[in-house]
Amino acid sequence: MDSSATSLLAKKQRLSDPVYKYNAEITSYMNINQPDAVLLYAKHFGKAPDARKARMIEIDTKSFIVQYYDKKDDDDLKTVTIEFSPPLKKREDTRDALTNLAVEAAKALKIKYNPGPLKTTKDIEHWESPGIIKTVAVLSLWISFLLYTILPASKMPPPFNVWRTDPDVTKALNGAWTALAFIHTVQPILVFLMCKVFGGLPLKPSLYHAALSLVFGAAHLQTPITIATKEREKRFWREGKGSYQPSKEEIDQLAKQDEEEDKKADEKEKKKKPKKI
């Protein structure tokens, strides 16, 4: 096997690694939320007690790599590879393994270290509502438009009663209803596809935004576009692509979501296994 084929095979194996596929998320989480632990890795496992500016740059089931500056020289950039023993089997195992290694390093260096619990926040906002002001305004317009359509001219105050009997106004009213029917039918479908397919949102929030779009029309178009675009950028970031910079809270939440997904996958796998007789 030539070197290019070997390199391609190694790359495929790496991408299939159950921990490496979350490389961007895990390393960002550690660098933002657990910088003390990352520095401990550099000081102890890198045998560099004066290490500083340590950053985790890569992780898979077998090991992880920490990059750091030694002493006070910004040109003295070094890396250390720390192996997991035993190797990890899934993404869910990283938390305990990294915590144990940090505690081990702290004891060896005689440094106090408290890893603390995994910080989490509320679910990432998929359910943003139009707000009270927009809701009242849109519903008022709908009610006014409906009343103007169904009420007889005799029950309308002037000048609406005069306009209502004008043939040109009636024609314009019919045209407006046709346009509204078309827009409010097509837009919810497009919003659903944008949320579910383009943004990768779950089914329920995708249906939620489609329903709001049915009622609010163009008044509820920017919100699902923003949410879907942001979710797409997050997905690319988790795959190590794009330039999206998540906040600390988002990284915490994504880590929690991944743990829940891994647990569900494990439960499904256990159900598939045949019972021993």
Side-chain angles (χ1 to χ4, degrees), residues 54-199:
R55 291 184 62 79
M56 184 183 292
I57 59 173
E58 197 170 289
I59 186 170
D60 58 25
T61 52
K62 296 179 181 178
S63 63
F64 63 96
I65 301 173
V66 173
Q67 193 176 66
Y68 63 94
Y69 288 98
D70 196 8
K71 300 180 181 180
K72 295 182 179 180
D73 187 357
D74 282 346
D75 293 328
D76 193 13
L77 184 61
K78 296 183 177 180
T79 59
V80 58
T81 300
I82 301 147
E83 295 184 355
F84 292 115
S85 181
L88 307 180
K89 293 182 179 179
K90 53 191 176 183
R91 185 246 179 270
E92 201 174 23
D93 298 337
T94 57
R95 180 184 174 188
D96 289 340
L98 290 171
T99 299
N100 292 338
L101 288 171
V103 171
E104 177 187 336
K107 286 182 179 178
L109 295 168
K110 297 180 180 179
I111 297 174
K112 290 183 179 180
Y113 171 70
N114 180 19
L118 178 66
K119 297 177 182 178
T120 57
T121 60
K122 293 180 180 179
D123 290 342
I124 296 172
E125 190 57 75
H126 290 161
W127 304 86
E128 187 174 342
S129 64
I132 295 176
I133 296 175
K134 188 183 287 187
T135 300
V136 171
V138 171
L139 290 180
S140 298
L141 286 172
W142 270 114
I143 292 171
S144 301
F145 199 44
L146 283 169
L147 289 175
Y148 188 76
T149 302
I150 62 177
L151 284 178
S154 59
K155 293 186 178 181
M156 291 184 181
F160 298 106
N161 54 352
V162 178
W163 296 345
R164 188 68 182 82
T165 55
D166 190 326
D168 292 334
V169 173
T170 302
K171 186 177 180 181
L173 192 63
N174 292 334
W177 273 113
T178 302
L180 281 172
F182 176 77
I183 293 171
H184 286 258
T185 301
V186 174
Q187 184 176 309
I189 298 172
L190 295 176
V191 167
F192 176 79
L193 293 174
M194 179 175 56
C195 291
K196 189 73 178 73
V197 180
F198 178 79

Side-chain angles (χ1 to χ4, degrees), residues 212-275:
L212 287 178
S213 181
L214 177 65
V215 176
F216 289 85
H220 190 73
L221 186 59
Q222 185 60 45
T223 297
I225 288 175
T226 301
I227 292 173
T229 302
K230 190 174 182 181
E231 287 302 306
R232 185 177 179 84
E233 289 175 348
K234 286 177 186 175
R235 190 166 72 249
F236 284 161
W237 168 74
R238 294 172 75 175
E239 295 171 357
K241 306 172 185 176
S243 57
Y244 177 72
Q245 294 297 323
S247 66
K248 179 179 177 180
E249 288 76 16
E250 287 171 341
I251 293 173
D252 289 339
Q253 182 59 30
L254 288 169
K256 180 184 177 183
Q257 287 178 339
D258 285 334
E259 286 188 356
E260 291 174 352
E261 288 174 7
D262 287 339
K263 287 180 180 177
K264 289 179 181 178
D266 287 342
E267 289 174 359
K268 287 182 179 179
E269 193 65 30
K270 288 178 182 178
K271 289 180 180 179
K272 289 180 181 178
K273 291 181 179 179
K275 295 181 179 180

Side-chain angles (χ1 to χ4, degrees), residues 37-53:
V38 179
L39 186 58
L40 284 171
Y41 302 144
K43 287 184 174 183
H44 176 58
F45 298 103
K47 297 180 180 179
D50 296 322
R52 59 194 185 85
K53 295 183 180 179

